[in-house]
């Protein structure tokens, strides 16, 4: 491990020298004056004074050497559409989109909210924002109108980009009515909505604020929009993520640090070289999509594959056929997708020629041993788990095979990446844990380039949420439990807070509780995460009714349970829908009134909750047991 150890130590002992070298990977229009500004901890500013542009580095810079290489391969099994764009074509499309946005008043520093399905225009829109120096905020297309409204009010966009519809598993989802409802709910008034009309929606809305993209694209067909050179620390994007409160946090990212970190990660972790093809099966609405569908592969001159559809349609062999057809070298997805595929005919995997594939990367949720062993055996290629968060933008833990081909260890995503001064700490004292002892996974100041710069519009929240939870030390908390072995490998043991992870997506149980509480029949509610064999975790809701008598009868009760699930669909989106709504007459609480969520989760998983000295009324546990059996 010597090579890795020296590499990592250098990144921690002398981050300035380490990242000064890495910064050569990207083009700086104006060189930076200072590598790292530590004058205002816990804020860190990277490459101060340097001016650069993400779109220039991802697109324009490659025109000299790879104008005719594919930059983007787009495949939709929902619509049957397949398109390829060379770097030259991508450049033209991004210029068109940037010109259209500019004509609609988008300027440097303005926010553009992108609410799009997996279509090439999502990538064009993100890069067009980067080109103009505008800040994109991509909202996952599966989120419901109230969720979208909350993000509109926080991000205050000057423009929203949407489509007539998305599609998943053959089902068309109209987007325009959702946008319309969100606009009506939001206090912030967004003047215009740019519409990509895929001609999918049976009844597309017509509203005066909607502007069709296609005629404008024609109008600006030959446009050339120069890249705005941004100071390295200006914001590039805001991406919302769930936490312990009902209000999602806007994770703000910079420009220069992000570009450098992603470019470095492509060599050290992903071993992706210019000319390679990478298929990241995620969504542009998540951080994995931002970093490894859009920015990192393009920054490094790869071809990125963008896919709209599910892993099992038309059948469970579709992803492997894509590998064969497009000679994919690197693949990246979440363990849930593999658990889904494992249930399909395993022979489908063997039918495809997978000789181009070098490595499969997995992240977003714990990788269970049976899935890891199955896929490693079936593929016969390295399977690299990696651990990170929306906040960090790129993997904190991985096997840095581009530095040294360290062995993988089942159950562990690996060792700390460059620049991550990772320490497991005792939750009560804040002291570092010795190897083998469980602690909270924390990062020492400064966070490396590419990590969040702050919470959008709320510096104080950045400090109070992330840097103030560990006693006696101002360190960044990941809110994950972990354990580190003698060799430095870390195993993740779950969240320390009320956040759950469903199919690789982070959900705040409080958000789901708030949605359910809005239903008139609900008096009290607790939402917990329970183990699920497919999705890793599933949300389960325990509800106390205002008038239990009214719903005593079987049919009315079942209808209410369905109704409660629909309430969550409407407020948050189907991804947040609880797998089950259990009606109880009382919830277990402490004497100070705090919900005993862990005890409820234990019961839901068929375990005993153990000693609960602070419980107010132990008979509540029996109520939960009975509710589960009903
Ligand atoms: P998100 O920001 O939505 O990507 O969620 C990040 C959270 O997902 C982390 O804080 C972890 O709880 C979990 N997570 C991500 N990757 C892994 C992994 N490889 N192993 C275990 N948990 C993970």
């Amino acid at each position: 491990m010597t090579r890795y150890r020296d590499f990592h130590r250098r990144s921690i002992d002398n981050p300035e020298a380490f990242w000064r070298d890495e910064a050569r990977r990207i083009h700086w229009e104006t060189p930076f004056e200072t590598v790292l500004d530590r004058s205002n901890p816990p804020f860190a500013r990277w490459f101060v004074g340097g001016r650069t542009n993400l779109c220039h580095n991802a697109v324009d810079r490659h025109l000299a050497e790879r104008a005719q290489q594919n930059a983007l391969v787009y495949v939709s099994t929902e619509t049957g559409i397949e398109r390829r764009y060379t770097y030259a074509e991508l450049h033209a499309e991004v210029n068109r989109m940037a010109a259209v946005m500019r004509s609609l008043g988008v300027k440097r520093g303005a926010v553009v909210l992108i609410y799009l399905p997996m279509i090439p225009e999502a990538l064009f829109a993100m890069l067009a924002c980067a080109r103009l120096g505008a800040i994109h905020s991509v909202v996952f297309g599966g989120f419901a109108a109230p969720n979208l409204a909350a993000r509109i009010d926080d991000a205050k966009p000057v423009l929203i980009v949407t489509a007539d519809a998305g599609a998943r598993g053959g089902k068309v989802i109209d987007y325009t009515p959702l946008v319309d409802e969100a606009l009506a709910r939001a206090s912030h008034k967004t003047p215009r909505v740019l519409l990509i009309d895929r001609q999918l929606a049976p009844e597309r809305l017509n509203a005066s604020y909607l502007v069709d993209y296609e005629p404008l694209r024609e109008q600006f067909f030959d446009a050339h929009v120069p890249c705005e050179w941004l100071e390295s620390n200006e914001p590039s994007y805001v991406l919302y993520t769930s936490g312990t409160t009902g209000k999602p946090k806007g994770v703000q990212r910079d420009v220069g640090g992000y570009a450098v970190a992603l470019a470095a990660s492509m060599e050290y972790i992903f071993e992706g070289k210019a000319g390679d093809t990478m298929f990241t099966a995620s969504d542009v609405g998540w951080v994995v999509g931002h970093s490894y569908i859009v920015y990192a592969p393009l920054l490094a001159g790869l071809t990125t594959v963008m896919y709209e559809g599910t892993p099992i349609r038309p059948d469970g062999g579709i992803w492997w056929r894509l590998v064969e057809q497009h000679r994919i070298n690197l693949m990246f997805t979440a363990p849930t997708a593999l658990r889904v595929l494992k249930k399909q005919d395993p022979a489908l995997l063997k039918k495809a020629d997978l000789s181009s594939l070098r490595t499969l990367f997995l992240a977003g949720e714990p990788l269970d041993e049976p899935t890891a062993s199955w896929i490693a055996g079936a593929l016969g290629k390295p399977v690299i788990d990696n651990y990170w968060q929306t906040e960090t933008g790129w993997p904190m833990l991985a096997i840095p095979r581009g530095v040294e081909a360290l062995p993988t260890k089942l159950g562990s995503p690996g060792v700390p990446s460059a620049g991550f001064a990772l320490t497991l700490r005792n939750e009560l004292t804040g002291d570092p844990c010795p190897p083998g002892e469980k602690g909270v996974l924390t990062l020492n100041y400064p966070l490396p380039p590419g990590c969040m710069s702050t919470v959008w519009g709320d510096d104080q929240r950045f400090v109070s949420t992330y840097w103030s939870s560990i006693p006696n030390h101002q360190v960044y908390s990941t809110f994950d439990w972990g354990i580190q072995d003698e060799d430095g490998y870390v195993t993740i043991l779950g969240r320390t807070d009320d956040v759950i992870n469903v199919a690789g997506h982070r959900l705040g149980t409080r958000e789901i509780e708030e949605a359910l509480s809005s239903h008139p029949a609900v008096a009290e509610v607790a939402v917990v995460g329970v183990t699920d064999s497919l999705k890793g975790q599933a949300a389960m809701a325990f509800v106390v009714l205002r008038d239990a008598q009214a719903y005593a009868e079987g049919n009315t009760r079942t209808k209410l349970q369905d109704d409660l699930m629909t309430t969550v669909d409407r407020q948050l989106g189907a991804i947040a829908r609880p797998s089950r709504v259990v009606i109880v007459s009382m919830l277990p609480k402490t004497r100070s009134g705090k919900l005993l969520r862990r005890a409820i989760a234990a019961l839901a998983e068929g375990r005993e909750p153990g000693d609960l000295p602070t419980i107010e009324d132990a008979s509540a546990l029996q109520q939960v047991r009975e509710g589960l059996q009903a």
Side-chain angles (χ1 to χ4, degrees):
M1 289 188 81
T2 334
R3 201 136 29 99
Y4 160 72
R5 285 227 167 92
D6 288 350
F7 167 85
H8 188 254
R9 190 170 307 122
R10 199 169 81 85
S11 77
I12 302 300
D13 292 350
N14 194 347
E16 279 89 350
F18 183 91
W19 292 106
R20 182 187 299 279
D21 288 349
E22 296 299 327
R24 294 202 186 97
R25 296 176 185 274
I26 69 158
H27 167 83
W28 296 92
E29 183 68 6
T30 311
F32 46 88
E33 291 141 20
T34 314
V35 177
L36 169 61
D37 168 9
R38 315 176 181 234
S39 62
N40 184 25
F43 299 90
R45 298 169 74 231
W46 288 97
F47 310 117
V48 182
R51 292 193 314 147
T52 185
N53 181 289
L54 274 167
C55 184
H56 173 86
N57 280 287
V59 185
D60 301 44
R61 192 170 52 120
H62 300 304
L63 294 178
E65 277 186 34
R66 51 192 79 253
Q68 297 317 317
Q69 178 197 310
N70 282 333
L72 169 66
V73 171
Y74 174 71
V75 180
S76 169
T77 47
E78 297 291 340
T79 58
I81 290 173
E82 195 171 314
R83 289 200 195 115
R84 290 157 199 252
Y85 299 85
T86 62
Y87 270 97
E89 286 162 343
L90 175 63
H91 181 253
E93 291 295 352
V94 172
N95 271 284
R96 287 167 199 148
M97 181 69 86
V100 171
M101 285 185 177
R102 194 172 57 179
S103 78
L104 296 172
V106 176
K107 294 192 181 75
R108 177 178 186 155
V111 176
V112 176
L113 189 144
I114 300 175
Y115 184 67
L116 284 175
M118 288 291 280
I119 52 175
E121 286 79 3
L123 185 140
F124 304 158
M126 290 165 79
L127 291 167
C129 286
R131 194 166 192 89
L132 293 166
I135 303 159
H136 59 69
S137 185
V138 184
V139 175
F140 174 59
F143 280 143
N147 235 329
L148 182 56
R151 284 153 173 79
I152 293 174
D153 275 337
D154 196 73
K156 303 192 173 43
V158 298
L159 178 74
I160 295 175
V161 187
T162 194
D164 59 331
R168 189 160 173 86
K171 205 173 135 221
V172 171
I173 304 123
D174 280 345
Y175 276 26
T176 48
L178 294 173
V179 172
D180 199 56
E181 188 191 331
L183 288 174
R185 282 173 173 265
S187 333
H188 171 78
K189 294 297 156 218
T190 311
R192 293 248 167 68
V193 176
L194 184 62
L195 182 91
I196 318 289
D197 195 346
R198 313 172 72 191
Q199 320 241 314
L200 267 188
E203 276 182 75
R204 153 195 159 180
L205 195 86
N206 268 318
S208 57
Y209 57 76
L210 282 175
V211 184
D212 263 281
Y213 179 59
E214 197 47 42
L216 287 173
R217 175 178 174 271
E218 286 298 317
Q219 189 183 328
F220 292 103
F221 202 78
D222 299 317
H224 183 81
V225 179
C227 288
E228 276 287 327
W229 299 111
L230 302 178
E231 199 278 334
S232 176
N233 295 280
E234 286 184 56
S236 57
Y237 70 75
V238 180
L239 179 58
Y240 287 88
T241 187
S242 299
T244 44
T245 65
K247 189 174 181 266
K249 293 179 288 278
V251 168
Q252 178 179 322
R253 197 93 62 210
D254 69 359
V255 176
Y258 189 47
V260 170
L262 289 184
S265 78
M266 283 308 281
E267 176 178 337
Y268 298 136
I269 299 172
F270 294 91
E271 294 186 285
K273 294 181 293 297
D276 280 348
T277 298
M278 180 164 190
F279 171 28
T280 299
S282 177
D283 189 285
V284 287
W286 310 122
V287 70
V288 175
H290 280 63
S291 291
Y292 295 101
I293 295 175
V294 182
Y295 288 112
L298 296 178
L299 286 167
L302 279 77
T303 303
T304 185
V305 177
M306 186 177 186
Y307 175 74
E308 181 186 50
T310 71
I312 51 168
R313 234 173 136 256
D315 60 60
I318 176 66
W319 282 5
W320 313 121
R321 287 200 294 282
L322 289 181
V323 171
E324 176 179 314
Q325 279 161 19
H326 301 286
R327 307 297 300 154
I328 288 165
N329 309 108
L330 309 168
M331 209 173 143
F332 190 173
T333 189
T336 289
L338 293 181
R339 287 193 291 266
V340 169
L341 288 177
K342 195 173 152 203
K343 287 191 150 185
Q344 304 287 310
D345 177 7
L348 288 166
L349 191 148
K350 299 274 178 219
K351 275 192 190 150
D353 170 8
L354 303 180
S355 56
S356 61
L357 188 66
R358 296 201 298 265
T359 316
L360 172 68
F361 297 91
L362 295 173
E365 56 178 321
L367 173 61
D368 55 290
E369 206 179 309
T371 308
S373 311
W374 168 70
I375 193 66
L379 279 180
K381 320 253 174 178
V383 174
I384 306 295
D385 184 8
N386 54 107
Y387 158 84
W388 46 301
Q389 313 178 300
T390 308
E391 288 83 349
T392 64
W394 60 289
M396 273 179 270
L397 293 172
I399 302 292
R401 291 165 53 90
V403 179
E404 184 176 354
L406 300 177
T408 54
K409 292 192 188 182
L410 270 179
S412 165
V415 293
S417 301
F420 287 98
L422 195 147
T423 314
L424 289 150
R425 291 182 186 271
N426 182 291
E427 67 171 326
L428 299 176
T429 63
D431 294 337
C433 300
E437 196 175 294
K438 177 179 166 179
V440 182
L441 216 146
T442 66
L443 302 170
N444 292 351
Y445 179 78
L447 299 184
C451 292
M452 77 189 292
S453 358
T454 186
V455 171
W456 173 252
D458 199 345
D459 285 350
Q460 191 42 44
R461 197 169 174 204
F462 175 64
V463 181
S464 63
T465 302
Y466 294 104
W467 295 87
S468 310
S469 70
I470 303 292
N472 310 317
H473 299 267
Q474 194 180 40
V475 291
Y476 172 91
S477 177
T478 60
F479 300 101
D480 281 308
W481 293 112
I483 196 162
Q484 193 164 26
D485 73 8
E486 298 280 353
D487 295 329
Y489 285 68
V490 179
T491 299
I492 306 296
L493 302 168
R495 296 282 302 193
T496 64
D497 57 9
D498 296 327
V499 165
I500 60 172
N501 193 316
V502 179
H505 305 316
R506 192 202 299 194
L507 297 173
T509 49
R510 293 274 165 81
E511 276 178 83
I512 309 176
E513 287 171 3
E514 280 179 24
L516 288 167
S517 301
S518 71
H519 193 285
V522 173
E524 250 191 310
V525 54
V527 171
V528 298
V530 295
T531 308
D532 182 276
S533 63
L534 206 57
K535 296 177 173 177
Q537 273 190 310
M540 202 185 274
F542 293 82
V543 173
V544 180
L545 299 177
R546 280 186 203 284
D547 180 1
Q549 279 303 317
Y551 299 96
E553 196 214 321
N555 274 345
T556 355
R557 213 176 169 80
T558 314
K559 193 182 159 299
L560 173 71
Q561 282 161 321
D562 288 349
D563 215 35
L564 289 170
M565 297 218 193
T566 317
T567 305
V568 177
D569 285 4
R570 270 205 310 272
Q571 301 231 355
L572 299 173
I575 52 161
R577 183 195 304 164
S579 62
R580 200 177 153 196
V581 174
V582 179
I583 296 180
V584 293
S585 52
M586 194 203 292
L587 289 166
K589 286 187 196 160
T590 63
R591 276 188 283 277
S592 54
K594 274 180 75 178
L595 278 171
L596 287 161
R597 285 196 182 74
R598 261 171 230 169
I600 303 174
L603 291 170
E605 289 176 345
R607 293 180 284 116
E608 276 309 305
D611 261 2
L612 296 165
T614 59
I615 194 164
E616 189 184 18
D617 182 347
S619 69
L621 297 173
Q622 190 51 29
Q623 301 289 335
V624 171
R625 280 191 199 96
E626 284 169 16
L628 282 161
Q629 276 154 18

